[in-house]
Amino acid sequence: MESVDNRKLQRIALWSVIVGIVILLPTCFFALRSLPTPQTELWRNTNEVPHETKAFLPVTGAFGWKFGEFLSSDKNQMERLNDGRYTVSYTAKDDPSLSPFRQVIVLATKNKLIYQISGSMEPADEDYTQTKNIMLKTLAEKYQRLPELGQNYFGDGTNMVELEVKPACLDVVYRNLRLWNALLSETEKKMEENAKEKEQEIKRSFKPL
């Protein structure tokens, strides 16, 4: 009789333990999930939201000009270049709102479609490095960097911005890659034709030999 009672007590004790474990499991699970991990601590320390990606702005133009638009200007004279392209150029004297930029040059195709816009500035010698760094930081905050091209390139597969660093001068150049590449191909083709024509001219000069 005593052994039977002992077995009953053991079963009761065992079931009590099992019930206690079942009750405690959810509490332990949620407690473990709330513990900080190295990754969550990194997010908290850098004030970043997990899996959040920064939305960069598209490069569509600059200084009030848009890529692919028809070049026309009532304020500034349009000039036709020797190769048939068109350009409009003006300075901060013509438009004081350009400051701190000194000059803006807009280039268009033979069909007068805008493909390149550039702004030039000439910071003082003592401010040159700081101005360059601020410009790079500003571009990086606005546009996506293109590290495969270099630290001074930003944009996407359609349009691009480049900070050209020159002695005593900084140029921000915006390009529409489709129109720009088409012009490069046309230029390369013209150079090849000129090279072949020059070769034929040299061969004709050897005819008396």
Short mmCIF file of all heavy atoms in Angstrom, two decimals, residues 52-100:
data_model
loop_
_atom_site.label_atom_id
_atom_site.label_comp_id
_atom_site.label_asym_id
_atom_site.label_seq_id
_atom_site.Cartn_x
_atom_site.Cartn_y
_atom_site.Cartn_z
N GLU A 52 17.34 49.13 -43.29
CA GLU A 52 16.90 50.36 -43.96
C GLU A 52 17.94 50.77 -45.01
O GLU A 52 19.14 50.81 -44.73
CB GLU A 52 16.73 51.48 -42.96
CG GLU A 52 16.23 52.78 -43.59
CD GLU A 52 16.09 53.90 -42.59
OE1 GLU A 52 16.40 53.68 -41.41
OE2 GLU A 52 15.68 54.99 -42.99
N THR A 53 17.51 51.05 -46.21
CA THR A 53 18.41 51.50 -47.27
C THR A 53 18.11 52.96 -47.59
O THR A 53 16.95 53.36 -47.66
CB THR A 53 18.23 50.66 -48.54
OG1 THR A 53 16.86 50.70 -48.95
CG2 THR A 53 18.65 49.21 -48.28
N LYS A 54 19.18 53.73 -47.78
CA LYS A 54 19.02 55.14 -48.04
C LYS A 54 18.50 55.36 -49.45
O LYS A 54 18.98 54.74 -50.40
CB LYS A 54 20.35 55.86 -47.85
CG LYS A 54 20.24 57.37 -48.02
CD LYS A 54 21.54 58.05 -47.66
CE LYS A 54 21.42 59.56 -47.80
NZ LYS A 54 22.67 60.25 -47.43
N ALA A 55 17.54 56.24 -49.58
CA ALA A 55 16.97 56.56 -50.90
C ALA A 55 17.71 57.76 -51.48
O ALA A 55 17.65 58.86 -50.94
CB ALA A 55 15.48 56.86 -50.77
N PHE A 56 18.44 57.53 -52.57
CA PHE A 56 19.17 58.61 -53.21
C PHE A 56 18.30 59.25 -54.29
O PHE A 56 17.40 58.63 -54.84
CB PHE A 56 20.45 58.06 -53.85
CG PHE A 56 21.46 57.56 -52.85
CD1 PHE A 56 21.57 56.21 -52.59
CD2 PHE A 56 22.27 58.45 -52.17
CE1 PHE A 56 22.49 55.74 -51.67
CE2 PHE A 56 23.20 58.00 -51.24
CZ PHE A 56 23.31 56.64 -50.99
N LEU A 57 18.61 60.51 -54.57
CA LEU A 57 17.86 61.23 -55.59
C LEU A 57 18.38 60.89 -56.98
O LEU A 57 19.57 60.63 -57.16
CB LEU A 57 17.99 62.74 -55.36
CG LEU A 57 17.38 63.29 -54.07
CD1 LEU A 57 17.66 64.78 -53.95
CD2 LEU A 57 15.88 63.03 -54.03
N PRO A 58 17.52 60.86 -57.97
CA PRO A 58 17.99 60.64 -59.35
C PRO A 58 18.69 61.88 -59.88
O PRO A 58 18.38 63.01 -59.48
CB PRO A 58 16.69 60.37 -60.12
CG PRO A 58 15.64 61.09 -59.33
CD PRO A 58 16.05 61.00 -57.89
N VAL A 59 19.63 61.69 -60.77
CA VAL A 59 20.33 62.81 -61.40
C VAL A 59 19.55 63.18 -62.66
O VAL A 59 19.51 62.41 -63.63
CB VAL A 59 21.78 62.43 -61.77
CG1 VAL A 59 22.49 63.62 -62.39
CG2 VAL A 59 22.52 61.94 -60.53
N THR A 60 18.91 64.33 -62.65
CA THR A 60 18.08 64.74 -63.79
C THR A 60 18.57 66.01 -64.48
O THR A 60 18.11 66.34 -65.56
CB THR A 60 16.63 64.98 -63.32
OG1 THR A 60 16.63 65.97 -62.28
CG2 THR A 60 16.02 63.69 -62.76
N GLY A 61 19.52 66.69 -63.85
CA GLY A 61 20.02 67.95 -64.40
C GLY A 61 20.59 68.81 -63.29
O GLY A 61 20.81 68.34 -62.17
N ALA A 62 20.82 70.08 -63.60
CA ALA A 62 21.38 70.99 -62.60
C ALA A 62 21.23 72.43 -63.06
O ALA A 62 21.08 72.70 -64.26
CB ALA A 62 22.85 70.66 -62.35
N PHE A 63 21.27 73.34 -62.10
CA PHE A 63 21.24 74.78 -62.37
C PHE A 63 20.01 75.19 -63.20
O PHE A 63 20.06 76.12 -64.01
CB PHE A 63 22.52 75.23 -63.09
CG PHE A 63 23.78 74.92 -62.34
CD1 PHE A 63 24.59 73.87 -62.76
CD2 PHE A 63 24.14 75.66 -61.22
CE1 PHE A 63 25.76 73.57 -62.07
CE2 PHE A 63 25.31 75.35 -60.52
CZ PHE A 63 26.13 74.31 -60.95
N GLY A 64 18.91 74.45 -63.00
CA GLY A 64 17.68 74.78 -63.71
C GLY A 64 17.56 74.17 -65.09
O GLY A 64 16.54 74.38 -65.77
N TRP A 65 18.57 73.38 -65.53
CA TRP A 65 18.54 72.73 -66.82
C TRP A 65 18.26 71.25 -66.65
O TRP A 65 18.71 70.64 -65.68
CB TRP A 65 19.87 72.92 -67.55
CG TRP A 65 20.26 74.35 -67.76
CD1 TRP A 65 21.02 75.12 -66.92
CD2 TRP A 65 19.92 75.18 -68.86
NE1 TRP A 65 21.17 76.38 -67.43
CE2 TRP A 65 20.51 76.45 -68.63
CE3 TRP A 65 19.19 74.99 -70.04
CZ2 TRP A 65 20.37 77.51 -69.52
CZ3 TRP A 65 19.06 76.05 -70.92
CH2 TRP A 65 19.64 77.29 -70.67
N LYS A 66 17.55 70.64 -67.61
CA LYS A 66 17.19 69.23 -67.53
C LYS A 66 17.75 68.46 -68.73
O LYS A 66 17.74 68.96 -69.86
CB LYS A 66 15.65 69.06 -67.51
CG LYS A 66 14.97 69.69 -66.31
CD LYS A 66 15.28 68.95 -65.02
CE LYS A 66 14.50 69.53 -63.86
NZ LYS A 66 14.80 68.84 -62.59
N PHE A 67 18.22 67.24 -68.45
CA PHE A 67 18.74 66.40 -69.53
C PHE A 67 17.64 66.06 -70.53
O PHE A 67 16.50 65.80 -70.16
CB PHE A 67 19.31 65.09 -68.97
CG PHE A 67 20.54 65.28 -68.13
CD1 PHE A 67 20.65 64.70 -66.89
CD2 PHE A 67 21.60 66.04 -68.58
CE1 PHE A 67 21.78 64.86 -66.13
CE2 PHE A 67 22.75 66.22 -67.83
CZ PHE A 67 22.84 65.62 -66.59
N GLY A 68 18.01 66.03 -71.80
CA GLY A 68 17.08 65.62 -72.84
C GLY A 68 16.14 66.72 -73.29
O GLY A 68 15.44 66.54 -74.30
N GLU A 69 16.12 67.85 -72.59
CA GLU A 69 15.25 68.95 -73.00
C GLU A 69 15.90 69.73 -74.15
O GLU A 69 17.11 69.69 -74.36
CB GLU A 69 14.98 69.90 -71.82
CG GLU A 69 14.04 69.31 -70.78
CD GLU A 69 13.63 70.34 -69.74
OE1 GLU A 69 14.21 71.45 -69.74
OE2 GLU A 69 12.73 70.03 -68.93
N PHE A 70 15.06 70.43 -74.89
CA PHE A 70 15.52 71.22 -76.04
C PHE A 70 16.22 72.47 -75.52
O PHE A 70 15.67 73.21 -74.70
CB PHE A 70 14.33 71.59 -76.91
CG PHE A 70 14.69 72.18 -78.23
CD1 PHE A 70 15.13 71.37 -79.27
CD2 PHE A 70 14.60 73.54 -78.44
CE1 PHE A 70 15.47 71.92 -80.50
CE2 PHE A 70 14.93 74.10 -79.66
CZ PHE A 70 15.38 73.29 -80.69
N LEU A 71 17.45 72.71 -75.97
CA LEU A 71 18.22 73.85 -75.50
C LEU A 71 17.70 75.14 -76.12
O LEU A 71 17.68 75.31 -77.34
CB LEU A 71 19.71 73.67 -75.85
CG LEU A 71 20.64 74.81 -75.42
CD1 LEU A 71 20.65 74.95 -73.90
CD2 LEU A 71 22.06 74.58 -75.94
N SER A 72 17.28 76.04 -75.27
CA SER A 72 16.86 77.37 -75.71
C SER A 72 17.10 78.34 -74.55
O SER A 72 17.00 77.95 -73.39
CB SER A 72 15.38 77.40 -76.12
OG SER A 72 14.56 77.07 -75.01
N SER A 73 17.43 79.56 -74.86
CA SER A 73 17.71 80.53 -73.82
C SER A 73 17.36 81.93 -74.29
O SER A 73 17.81 82.38 -75.35
CB SER A 73 19.19 80.46 -73.41
OG SER A 73 19.48 81.43 -72.43
N ASP A 74 16.55 82.62 -73.49
CA ASP A 74 16.20 84.00 -73.78
C ASP A 74 17.22 84.96 -73.18
O ASP A 74 17.42 86.08 -73.68
CB ASP A 74 14.80 84.33 -73.24
CG ASP A 74 13.72 83.47 -73.90
OD1 ASP A 74 13.92 83.11 -75.07
OD2 ASP A 74 12.72 83.17 -73.23
N LYS A 75 17.86 84.52 -72.08
CA LYS A 75 18.79 85.41 -71.36
C LYS A 75 20.20 85.37 -71.94
O LYS A 75 20.88 86.39 -72.00
CB LYS A 75 18.86 85.01 -69.88
CG LYS A 75 17.55 85.16 -69.13
CD LYS A 75 17.73 84.75 -67.67
CE LYS A 75 16.43 84.88 -66.90
NZ LYS A 75 16.59 84.47 -65.48
N ASN A 76 20.63 84.19 -72.38
CA ASN A 76 22.02 84.03 -72.82
C ASN A 76 22.08 83.57 -74.27
O ASN A 76 21.23 82.82 -74.73
CB ASN A 76 22.74 83.02 -71.93
CG ASN A 76 22.57 83.34 -70.46
OD1 ASN A 76 21.81 82.68 -69.75
ND2 ASN A 76 23.26 84.35 -69.98
N GLN A 77 23.12 84.00 -74.96
CA GLN A 77 23.26 83.68 -76.38
C GLN A 77 23.69 82.23 -76.57
O GLN A 77 24.57 81.72 -75.89
CB GLN A 77 24.30 84.61 -77.02
CG GLN A 77 24.44 84.42 -78.53
CD GLN A 77 25.42 85.41 -79.12
OE1 GLN A 77 25.96 86.25 -78.41
NE2 GLN A 77 25.62 85.33 -80.43
N MET A 78 23.04 81.57 -77.50
CA MET A 78 23.39 80.19 -77.85
C MET A 78 24.44 80.21 -78.95
O MET A 78 24.36 80.98 -79.89
CB MET A 78 22.15 79.43 -78.31
CG MET A 78 22.38 77.94 -78.51
SD MET A 78 20.94 77.11 -79.23
CE MET A 78 19.60 77.73 -78.22
N GLU A 79 25.43 79.33 -78.82
CA GLU A 79 26.52 79.28 -79.79
C GLU A 79 26.58 77.90 -80.43
O GLU A 79 26.42 76.89 -79.76
CB GLU A 79 27.85 79.57 -79.09
CG GLU A 79 29.06 79.55 -80.00
CD GLU A 79 30.35 79.76 -79.26
OE1 GLU A 79 30.30 80.04 -78.04
OE2 GLU A 79 31.43 79.64 -79.88
N ARG A 80 26.81 77.88 -81.72
CA ARG A 80 26.96 76.62 -82.45
C ARG A 80 28.43 76.32 -82.61
O ARG A 80 29.18 77.13 -83.14
CB ARG A 80 26.28 76.68 -83.82
CG ARG A 80 26.21 75.33 -84.53
CD ARG A 80 25.41 75.46 -85.82
NE ARG A 80 25.18 74.16 -86.44
CZ ARG A 80 26.00 73.57 -87.30
NH1 ARG A 80 27.12 74.20 -87.65
NH2 ARG A 80 25.72 72.39 -87.79
N LEU A 81 28.87 75.15 -82.12
CA LEU A 81 30.26 74.77 -82.18
C LEU A 81 30.63 74.24 -83.57
O LEU A 81 29.75 73.95 -84.38
CB LEU A 81 30.56 73.72 -81.10
CG LEU A 81 30.23 74.15 -79.67
CD1 LEU A 81 30.50 73.00 -78.69
CD2 LEU A 81 31.03 75.38 -79.27
N ASN A 82 31.94 74.08 -83.81
CA ASN A 82 32.41 73.65 -85.13
C ASN A 82 31.90 72.25 -85.50
O ASN A 82 31.71 71.95 -86.69
CB ASN A 82 33.94 73.66 -85.17
CG ASN A 82 34.49 75.07 -85.09
OD1 ASN A 82 33.83 76.03 -85.48
ND2 ASN A 82 35.71 75.21 -84.58
N ASP A 83 31.72 71.39 -84.51
CA ASP A 83 31.26 70.02 -84.80
C ASP A 83 29.75 69.90 -84.85
O ASP A 83 29.21 68.79 -84.96
CB ASP A 83 31.83 69.04 -83.77
CG ASP A 83 31.40 69.38 -82.35
OD1 ASP A 83 30.63 70.35 -82.16
OD2 ASP A 83 31.85 68.68 -81.42
N GLY A 84 29.04 71.02 -84.75
CA GLY A 84 27.59 71.00 -84.87
C GLY A 84 26.84 71.00 -83.56
O GLY A 84 25.60 71.15 -83.56
N ARG A 85 27.54 70.81 -82.44
CA ARG A 85 26.87 70.86 -81.15
C ARG A 85 26.54 72.31 -80.77
O ARG A 85 27.05 73.25 -81.38
CB ARG A 85 27.76 70.24 -80.07
CG ARG A 85 27.97 68.75 -80.20
CD ARG A 85 28.93 68.27 -79.12
NE ARG A 85 30.22 68.94 -79.23
CZ ARG A 85 31.04 69.14 -78.19
NH1 ARG A 85 30.70 68.76 -76.97
NH2 ARG A 85 32.21 69.75 -78.38
N TYR A 86 25.70 72.45 -79.73
CA TYR A 86 25.31 73.78 -79.28
C TYR A 86 25.68 73.95 -77.81
O TYR A 86 25.75 72.98 -77.05
CB TYR A 86 23.80 73.98 -79.46
CG TYR A 86 23.37 74.09 -80.90
CD1 TYR A 86 23.09 72.95 -81.65
CD2 TYR A 86 23.25 75.34 -81.53
CE1 TYR A 86 22.70 73.04 -82.98
CE2 TYR A 86 22.85 75.44 -82.86
CZ TYR A 86 22.58 74.29 -83.57
OH TYR A 86 22.21 74.38 -84.89
N THR A 87 25.91 75.20 -77.43
CA THR A 87 26.27 75.48 -76.05
C THR A 87 25.71 76.83 -75.60
O THR A 87 25.53 77.75 -76.42
CB THR A 87 27.80 75.47 -75.87
OG1 THR A 87 28.11 75.71 -74.49
CG2 THR A 87 28.46 76.54 -76.71
N VAL A 88 25.45 76.91 -74.30
CA VAL A 88 25.07 78.16 -73.66
C VAL A 88 25.99 78.31 -72.45
O VAL A 88 26.15 77.37 -71.66
CB VAL A 88 23.60 78.17 -73.21
CG1 VAL A 88 23.33 79.33 -72.25
CG2 VAL A 88 22.68 78.25 -74.40
N SER A 89 26.60 79.48 -72.32
CA SER A 89 27.52 79.73 -71.22
C SER A 89 27.20 81.07 -70.57
O SER A 89 26.93 82.05 -71.27
CB SER A 89 28.97 79.72 -71.75
OG SER A 89 29.86 80.09 -70.72
N TYR A 90 27.23 81.11 -69.25
CA TYR A 90 26.99 82.36 -68.53
C TYR A 90 27.71 82.32 -67.19
O TYR A 90 28.05 81.24 -66.68
CB TYR A 90 25.50 82.63 -68.35
CG TYR A 90 24.72 81.52 -67.72
CD1 TYR A 90 24.40 81.54 -66.36
CD2 TYR A 90 24.28 80.43 -68.47
CE1 TYR A 90 23.67 80.51 -65.78
CE2 TYR A 90 23.55 79.40 -67.90
CZ TYR A 90 23.26 79.46 -66.55
OH TYR A 90 22.55 78.43 -65.97
N THR A 91 27.96 83.48 -66.61
CA THR A 91 28.73 83.60 -65.38
C THR A 91 27.87 84.15 -64.25
O THR A 91 26.70 84.52 -64.45
CB THR A 91 29.94 84.52 -65.60
OG1 THR A 91 29.47 85.86 -65.82
CG2 THR A 91 30.77 84.06 -66.79
N ALA A 92 28.49 84.22 -63.07
CA ALA A 92 27.80 84.75 -61.90
C ALA A 92 27.48 86.23 -62.06
O ALA A 92 26.59 86.76 -61.39
CB ALA A 92 28.63 84.51 -60.64
N LYS A 93 28.22 86.92 -62.95
CA LYS A 93 27.91 88.32 -63.22
C LYS A 93 26.58 88.44 -63.95
O LYS A 93 25.81 89.38 -63.74
CB LYS A 93 29.02 88.94 -64.06
CG LYS A 93 30.34 89.10 -63.32
CD LYS A 93 31.38 89.77 -64.21
CE LYS A 93 32.71 89.93 -63.47
NZ LYS A 93 33.74 90.58 -64.33
N ASP A 94 26.31 87.44 -64.82
CA ASP A 94 25.03 87.43 -65.53
C ASP A 94 23.89 86.97 -64.62
O ASP A 94 22.76 87.42 -64.77
CB ASP A 94 25.12 86.50 -66.75
CG ASP A 94 26.25 86.88 -67.68
OD1 ASP A 94 26.42 88.09 -67.93
OD2 ASP A 94 26.98 85.97 -68.13
N ASP A 95 24.20 86.03 -63.72
CA ASP A 95 23.20 85.46 -62.82
C ASP A 95 23.80 85.33 -61.43
O ASP A 95 24.46 84.33 -61.13
CB ASP A 95 22.73 84.10 -63.34
CG ASP A 95 21.61 83.50 -62.51
OD1 ASP A 95 21.22 84.12 -61.49
OD2 ASP A 95 21.12 82.42 -62.87
N PRO A 96 23.63 86.31 -60.54
CA PRO A 96 24.24 86.29 -59.21
C PRO A 96 23.84 85.08 -58.36
O PRO A 96 24.56 84.73 -57.42
CB PRO A 96 23.73 87.59 -58.57
CG PRO A 96 23.40 88.48 -59.72
CD PRO A 96 22.89 87.57 -60.79
N SER A 97 22.73 84.42 -58.71
CA SER A 97 22.28 83.27 -57.92
C SER A 97 23.22 82.07 -58.08
O SER A 97 23.12 81.10 -57.35
CB SER A 97 20.87 82.87 -58.32
OG SER A 97 20.83 82.38 -59.65
N LEU A 98 24.14 82.13 -59.06
CA LEU A 98 25.08 81.03 -59.27
C LEU A 98 26.11 80.94 -58.15
O LEU A 98 26.70 79.87 -57.94
CB LEU A 98 25.83 81.21 -60.60
CG LEU A 98 25.05 81.01 -61.88
CD1 LEU A 98 25.98 81.17 -63.08
CD2 LEU A 98 24.40 79.63 -61.90
N SER A 99 26.40 82.04 -57.50
CA SER A 99 27.43 82.05 -56.45
C SER A 99 27.20 80.93 -55.44
O SER A 99 26.05 80.67 -55.05
CB SER A 99 27.40 83.41 -55.74
OG SER A 99 28.40 83.47 -54.75
N PRO A 100 28.26 80.17 -55.05
CA PRO A 100 29.69 80.43 -55.23
C PRO A 100 30.27 79.92 -56.56
O PRO A 100 31.48 80.00 -56.73
CB PRO A 100 30.31 79.66 -54.07
CG PRO A 100 29.41 78.48 -53.91
CD PRO A 100 28.02 79.00 -54.19
#
